[in-house]
Amino acid sequence: MSDGDYNTLLASITKRCEAAGQSHILAHLSDDAISQDTKLSFLQSIDEIPLDKLSGYLQGALDEEEKLKNFDPTNVKDEDVIEPFAGDTASTTTTDAAQLAALEEANAVGMKAAANGEVAALLLAGGQGTRLGYNGPKGMYDIGLPSKKTLFQFMVERIKKLGQLSGKGDKAVPFYIMTSPMNHQATTQYFDQNDNFGIDVKFFPQGTLPSITPDGKMILETPTSLAVAPDGNGGIYPALVKHGILSDMKSRGIKYIHAFGVDNALVKPADPTFVGYCIKKNADCGNKVLWKTSPDEKVGVVATRGGKPCIVEYSDISKDMSELKGSDGRLTFGAGNICNHFYTLDFMENVIVPNLGNMYHVARKKIPYYDNGTKETVKPTSNNGIKLESFIFDVFPLSKNMAVLDVARAEEFAPVKNPPGTATDSPDTARTLFSNVAKGWLEKAGAKLVGEVDSDMCEIGPMTSYNGEGLEGMNGKEVECPFCI
């Protein structure tokens, strides 16, 4: 960049910072000891920030924080009343023949949508494997099954298999992956080394927002770098716009989006039953859930607040509400959220995007800052700043017709969050759940399991079966456990 271009950028950033009350972050640009390249990188990072919107984001988040702080359960306003979700709900765990037949029809609708090129899979893959003791993107983690496949590979192969089942081939369902700034390069390199596993993949990084003081000033971590943090998994919405993903989907004729997290070894990408169910219900938004097994299970649930669908955290529900049961004997507030969502592209583009500025929350944190006196970066011992974050489910109240599908925990949820050896949500428990599904499919197909039938090293690869189909040839056969089919 020429000096003239640098000065033009500097003038533009200076004007924007002055208008936003953030001129203090430019204080060190007159220091001749700082290289021009460093100054340029700093200016370019500032150029990415919505300076004109930052104060609005903060004020909305502070207003919400104050409202929650002053909440009086004995004097609840109409817009804050929490009630059971009243929209369309179905369950794959039902034994009702009519409901099961309706879900079979939904599966056919979802499969047809995939065949028509109308469905996209959208993965939230910004997490690192740090808690697992793995130094890399969580999606590249191997939970220890015989094939040694990673979480990414299982998802990719399920998408590829779904395309084959739809009759339109490996690339029928495009796969969009949201990374984070810290793992974007490693993720894209991994897929590039594997030729994208033969499917249609696009990557885009999650956004960040500057950390700010309680009075709204951005925090410098060094003379030429801001303290920044990821904007929460709700940052997927602005990232879809910023990186042209929504435009790309629209150009392809995508109508329906299935979004899910990277840490579920049993997730069914672009699940035709879920997608088809939402299409049949004419839903603009949908949520795949696991029904809570006990009132004290600490998970957010689908409910309504002020008549609008939302996720209510377990801490916001009274003991009486949490124990309330319906005529079917299940918990009334039982639809546990697992970050598994459906959207129409129209809802995403025309309802969510125009309302993005109203969805940030306050997270008070210890933010490292640059001390002008000592000329050093200080790590505070108490909270000194605010990180703004949003959640992917913050958009649910915007929905006019939300649908909920309850699925079997043992068949669709194998979270990988904790280190090996942990009693819950670990690679070990995920591997056991995965193995149990594989054994269940074989037994349902008429096979007889022999050998180490309790083994957690039993695997049916996604290219063999997406959801238990195609195993008719195993009828009457003995299968030695462990196995890898």
Side-chain angles (χ1 to χ4, degrees), residues 112-346:
K112 182 179 179 181
N116 290 340
E118 296 172 344
V119 181
L122 176 59
L123 175 66
L124 286 73
Q128 289 288 93
T130 309
R131 285 176 62 187
L132 298 168
Y134 173 69
N135 184 27
K138 186 178 285 188
M140 290 169 58
Y141 189 79
D142 162 20
I143 64 172
L145 285 162
S147 70
K148 300 299 181 184
K149 291 175 182 176
T150 64
L151 293 171
F152 277 144
Q153 190 169 355
F154 282 123
M155 293 173 194
V156 164
E157 290 189 359
R158 288 181 187 123
I159 290 172
K160 183 185 288 189
K161 181 64 173 180
L162 180 63
Q164 293 175 1
L165 291 171
S166 77
K168 297 297 182 178
D170 296 354
K171 298 183 178 182
V173 176
F175 194 21
Y176 297 89
I177 300 178
M178 185 178 78
T179 61
S180 64
M182 71 176 64
N183 73 12
H184 183 78
Q185 184 176 3
T187 301
T188 55
Q189 285 180 347
Y190 171 74
F191 274 81
D192 186 58
Q193 290 165 0
N194 289 281
D195 296 320
N196 288 342
F197 297 96
I199 71 166
D200 188 354
V201 187
K202 281 189 177 294
F203 306 90
F204 62 103
Q206 177 181 2
T208 59
L209 282 173
S211 299
I212 48 186
T213 62
D215 59 352
K217 299 296 184 182
M218 290 191 288
I219 298 173
L220 282 172
E221 187 167 345
T222 73
T224 53
S225 66
L226 292 165
V228 297
D231 51 6
N233 60 14
I236 193 167
Y237 304 116
L240 286 168
V241 177
K242 178 180 179 180
H243 298 287
I245 301 301
L246 287 186
S247 296
D248 183 77
M249 290 179 176
K250 193 171 185 178
S251 70
R252 294 167 178 254
I254 298 296
K255 294 182 180 179
Y256 313 109
I257 303 163
H258 181 206
F260 47 91
V262 73
D263 52 8
N264 178 7
L266 286 175
V267 70
K268 297 176 181 176
D271 176 12
T273 300
F274 180 42
V275 171
Y277 168 70
C278 291
I279 293 172
K280 282 188 65 180
K281 294 299 181 181
N282 198 30
D284 51 14
C285 181
N287 200 19
K288 183 186 281 193
V289 304
L290 301 179
W291 221 263
K292 289 175 62 172
T293 54
S294 66
D296 56 358
E297 190 174 349
K298 295 181 178 180
V299 61
V301 297
V302 182
T304 62
R305 192 192 297 268
K308 297 178 180 180
C310 66
I311 297 297
V312 178
E313 295 300 334
Y314 64 89
S315 55
D316 294 335
I317 297 178
S318 68
K319 186 175 186 294
D320 288 344
M321 291 169 67
S322 70
E323 295 175 349
L324 189 65
K325 292 186 177 181
S327 58
D328 59 359
R330 301 204 304 174
L331 294 169
T332 301
F333 291 94
N337 184 53
I338 57 170
C339 190
N340 197 311
H341 312 311
F342 165 93
Y343 313 85
T344 64
L345 183 65
D346 179 71

Side-chain angles (χ1 to χ4, degrees), residues 14 16-27 51 54-55 212 215-219:
T14 300
R16 290 176 58 207
C17 283
E18 288 174 348
Q22 302 286 354
S23 298
H24 65 286
I25 66 173
L26 306 177
L51 294 171
L54 201 57
S55 63
I212 48 186
D215 59 352
K217 299 296 184 182
M218 290 191 288
I219 298 173

Side-chain angles (χ1 to χ4, degrees), residues 322-379:
S322 70
E323 295 175 349
L324 189 65
K325 292 186 177 181
S327 58
D328 59 359
R330 301 204 304 174
L331 294 169
T332 301
F333 291 94
N337 184 53
I338 57 170
C339 190
N340 197 311
H341 312 311
F342 165 93
Y343 313 85
T344 64
L345 183 65
D346 179 71
F347 177 65
M348 188 86 79
E349 185 177 40
N350 297 315
V351 179
I352 294 176
V353 170
N355 287 282
L356 287 178
N358 305 321
M359 299 180 185
Y360 289 97
H361 311 281
V362 166
R364 296 185 182 271
K365 301 288 185 178
K366 302 177 184 70
I367 312 294
Y369 65 93
Y370 183 72
D371 188 309
N372 286 319
T374 63
K375 308 296 184 186
E376 294 179 346
T377 297
V378 177
K379 293 184 177 181

